[in-house]
Amino acid sequence: MTTQTPARERARQRATKGRAPIVVILAFAGIVVSLMHSLVVPLLPRLPDFLSASAADTTWAVTATLLAGAVATPTVGRLGDMYGKRKMLLISLGLLVAGSIVGALSYSLAPLIVGRTLQGLAAGVIPLGISIMRDELPPGKVGGATAAMSASLGVGGALGLPIAALIAEAWDWHTLFWVAATLGILAFVLVLILVPESPARTGGRFDILGALAMSAALVLLLLIVAKGGVWGWASALTIGLGAGCLLLWIGWIFWELRVSKPLVDLRANSRRQVLLTNVASLIFAFSMLCMSLSLPQILQLPAETGYGLGQSMLVVGLVMAPSGLVMMAVSPISACISATAGPKWSLISGAVLVAGGYSVGYFMLDALWQLVLVSVLVGAGIGLAYGAMPSLIMGAVPPEESASANGLNALMRSVGTSLAAALAGLVFAQMSMNLNGNPVPSRDAFLVMMAVGAAGAIVALCVALFLPRRKPGL
């Protein structure tokens, strides 16, 4: 540590003069990457016609990005700790640009899936950015900066819907990917010119076997979650993949505990503060997606259902966009709470707001302003909670392991959203009504999702209560 102290001090002095550009650039890169998650959502109903493929096959345009992001996040985080976080950040943004260009040139399903996979491999940008901020900024500025970076995940996802819907309605759908490529190039150039390389490195050899085993286990897990309802939860394929997934996880854990330089330091991540924060992250992501999967459907379902509002995708995006803006707006509040009372209380405050938002939604889902209110309350709660998570993680791990630790935390969020999507699919399928010969989710299905979202927030609150009382130092 003594050999790194002068280098880290010089880095902090540089950041004192130019920290604002670094924070803005990294947050912008995070928003660009998170935009990729909602990029094709407005296109999904029309993709089968655009690509001459079945509706079931075109869902891989979303699933491929999810799988690639889950595989890339912990791996890229570890490589960043070893070889340089800025270097891996640039590689991730380069993959996003490449994937966007492939998507823009696609006229059939296979190349589009390739492009979406490359876009998903950029998912490690947010945990890498958080770790760079820890290394480069003065201690007093880290909390607010990392809270803003963490919130960028929600901001990009929320803003992506109206932007993508507007572009898809006004121009050819390929324009979406050209816009994504342009934003990716801009982020790449800004990082290349203005963001310095972090001095903290772990060195050592990369755990290739651990990375392969974890990637395979994650792919199987997310395939089961995403496609289990289609294949049948009791089908031979689902059960077989589940057994293989379990064996891979067990083998991976044994390997990671034995290797000298593991992909994921399970001992460090089993510390109470890190473990509970990761559990809370999974639950919060699960809870957030309950809103994202429910409100757009209520908005778009026809009024003849008795509860649908019959709105366009553009209106859906405009209703959901305030939640993302609120996430960014509350990030300074999250940082303030973390600095004064400790990030534990920011996490708890967020859980209370999310539970309150879903409770409002349980009784008020009949007008646009009511749905905006629900999305704003839930968004504010998620923003407070997400802003606290990097502080909790980095307060319990050394600087040279911060990228991999934040990568694992981001992975927990991905798993949480995947589990929520699977549950929502089951609820909407089981609790449906007939509309002109087509099954659509009933009002009770959406009430169940509101109740599940509130219950998830309450569970996250209970988890947060067991976090250490002390304020972690960065």
Side-chain angles (χ1 to χ4, degrees), residues 292-302 307-309 316 428 441 446:
S292 300
L293 293 171
S294 300
L295 299 193
Q297 291 199 67
I298 296 172
L299 285 163
Q300 292 182 88
L301 284 171
Y307 54 88
L309 300 181
V316 172
F428 292 150
F446 296 113

Side-chain angles (χ1 to χ4, degrees), residues 97-185:
V97 172
S100 300
I101 293 173
V102 171
L105 298 175
S106 298
Y107 288 88
S108 60
L109 183 60
L112 180 63
I113 291 175
V114 171
R116 291 288 290 161
T117 300
L118 290 172
Q119 287 180 325
L121 291 175
V125 162
I126 291 176
L128 287 169
I130 290 172
S131 301
I132 290 173
M133 288 175 177
R134 180 191 189 177
D135 294 341
E136 293 297 319
L137 302 184
K141 302 295 182 181
V142 172
T146 57
M149 187 71 188
S150 186
S152 69
L153 179 64
V155 174
L159 295 181
L161 280 174
I163 293 172
L166 181 62
I167 292 174
E169 289 181 2
W171 294 285
D172 179 76
W173 65 274
H174 294 90
T175 307
L176 281 173
F177 290 91
W178 288 121
V179 170
T182 302
L183 292 173
I185 291 171

Side-chain angles (χ1 to χ4, degrees), residues 41 130 168 240 265 272 346 389 428 433 460 469-470:
V41 171
I130 290 172
D265 189 340
R272 183 172 63 153
S346 184
M389 289 169 188
F428 292 150
M433 58 178 286
R469 289 181 177 272
R470 66 184 182 275

Side-chain angles (χ1 to χ4, degrees), residues 416-468:
T417 56
S418 301
L419 293 174
L423 176 65
L426 183 62
V427 169
F428 292 150
Q430 295 297 318
M431 305 179 70
S432 61
M433 58 178 286
N434 188 284
L435 179 66
N436 300 325
N438 298 312
V440 298
S442 67
R443 180 182 177 86
D444 288 342
F446 296 113
L447 295 181
V448 167
M449 293 304 295
M450 294 296 107
V452 168
I458 293 171
V459 172
L461 187 152
C462 294
V463 171
L465 289 173
F466 288 94
L467 286 165

Side-chain angles (χ1 to χ4, degrees), residues 201-219:
R201 306 281 181 89
T202 59
R205 298 177 60 185
F206 182 67
D207 180 15
I208 297 178
L209 183 59
L212 291 174
M214 185 179 187
S215 299
L218 281 171
V219 168

Side-chain angles (χ1 to χ4, degrees), residues 345-369:
W345 294 103
S346 184
L347 199 65
I348 290 172
S349 300
V352 171
L353 270 177
V354 172
Y358 280 117
S359 298
V360 170
Y362 190 86
F363 298 102
M364 299 170 61
L365 288 176
D366 302 313
L368 284 177
W369 72 267

